Amino acid sequence: MKLYTAHRAPNPRRVLMFIHEKAITGIELVPVDLNAGEHKGAAYRALNPVATVPTLELPDGRCLSETRAICSYLEGLQPEPNLMGRDFAERAFIEMHDRRVEWYWLLPIANCVRHTHPGLATLERPQFADFGRSQGEKVRERARWLDEQLAEHPWMAGERFTIADITAFCALEFARGLMKFDAGAEGFARLQAWRERMAERESARVF
């Protein structure tokens, strides 16, 4: 299999961390240069017509895009350690938390960065600075929500580490790097403590 990925982008990192947590080997990593627009070229669009990363090319030539779909495939390929739920009920609740983190935490971070950071101007044309700043405000609102959630359980989806933690961590690290968002300095002590626990994981240090 081949995984088409991009350095430092949060969605490829989600898949890379998932692969590392699963100890899956034998996947060739193929870098895609986003700044050069390689993802919009004909060769890459033949694999993924919506021109996003990551994309997983299967041995039979079929291609999977969308982070959650790729991880679902890999979970089925190698069920242990389980990261997406052991029965239908747990799977549903883990997916709920994962999707909440993706849509209400990662997406505003990405919108803020894409519309305010000068280094992303080549990818987001035109940039809408006011929209980006408003998304940055939502990032802080959602950080408070996550901090409150972590008062109820130690991990994003409950009592154990799951894919929802990978999604949240990749989002937070993206915000730390390009928004200079510091959960501890912003007053979100539980979120910061969770981040420090996550940062100790080998999968977090590799990528």
Side-chain angles (χ1 to χ4, degrees):
M1 292 187 288
K2 294 181 180 180
L3 181 69
Y4 294 82
T5 182
H7 182 58
R8 294 185 178 179
N11 283 327
R13 188 179 186 186
R14 288 166 64 192
V15 174
L16 290 169
M17 283 187 68
F18 194 88
I19 289 170
H20 197 82
E21 290 285 346
K22 289 281 192 180
I24 297 172
T25 60
I27 298 178
E28 178 186 351
L29 301 183
V30 182
V32 178
D33 190 337
L34 300 182
N35 287 332
E38 188 176 351
H39 59 303
K40 296 181 179 179
Y44 188 75
R45 283 186 182 273
L47 303 172
N48 180 351
V50 295
T52 57
V53 287
T55 296
L56 181 67
E57 185 176 358
L58 306 182
D60 63 7
R62 291 180 298 165
C63 291
L64 266 176
S65 65
E66 306 306 322
T67 298
R68 179 81 193 192
I70 293 171
C71 290
S72 292
Y73 179 86
L74 296 174
E75 179 93 341
L77 190 68
Q78 187 157 312
E80 297 295 336
N82 179 277
L83 297 178
M84 300 181 78
R86 298 190 181 282
D87 57 32
F88 76 92
E90 190 185 28
R91 282 194 299 272
F93 278 95
I94 289 173
E95 181 172 354
M96 176 186 73
H97 286 287
D98 187 41
R99 297 292 281 175
R100 282 178 174 176
V101 169
E102 181 179 31
W103 283 98
Y104 308 128
W105 172 241
L106 175 55
L107 183 59
I109 290 169
N111 284 336
C112 177
V113 170
R114 290 178 73 95
H115 287 279
T116 63
H117 197 285
L120 275 291
T122 57
L123 294 177
E124 196 67 44
R125 300 178 181 174
Q127 286 182 313
F128 295 99
D130 287 345
F131 171 69
R133 284 190 290 269
S134 71
Q135 291 291 288
E137 293 173 5
K138 290 185 183 297
V139 169
R140 286 163 176 83
E141 292 173 10
R142 302 310 167 44
R144 183 173 297 105
W145 157 62
L146 290 176
D147 196 70
E148 292 168 353
Q149 289 289 301
L150 289 167
E152 299 178 8
H153 38 71
W155 300 99
M156 287 292 163
E159 299 302 315
R160 69 182 182 95
F161 171 83
T162 68
I163 188 174
D165 295 287
I166 293 175
T167 302
F169 180 74
C170 291
L172 180 55
E173 294 305 280
F174 194 53
R176 277 166 50 86
L178 294 182
M179 289 179 61
K180 307 304 178 187
F181 176 84
D182 185 317
E186 297 273 354
F188 306 119
R190 287 180 291 262
L191 184 59
Q192 180 64 28
W194 166 86
R195 186 264 164 194
E196 297 304 323
R197 283 189 287 126
M198 284 293 299
E200 294 174 358
R201 302 185 74 89
E202 185 178 343
S203 63
R205 298 194 300 269
V206 170
F207 306 109

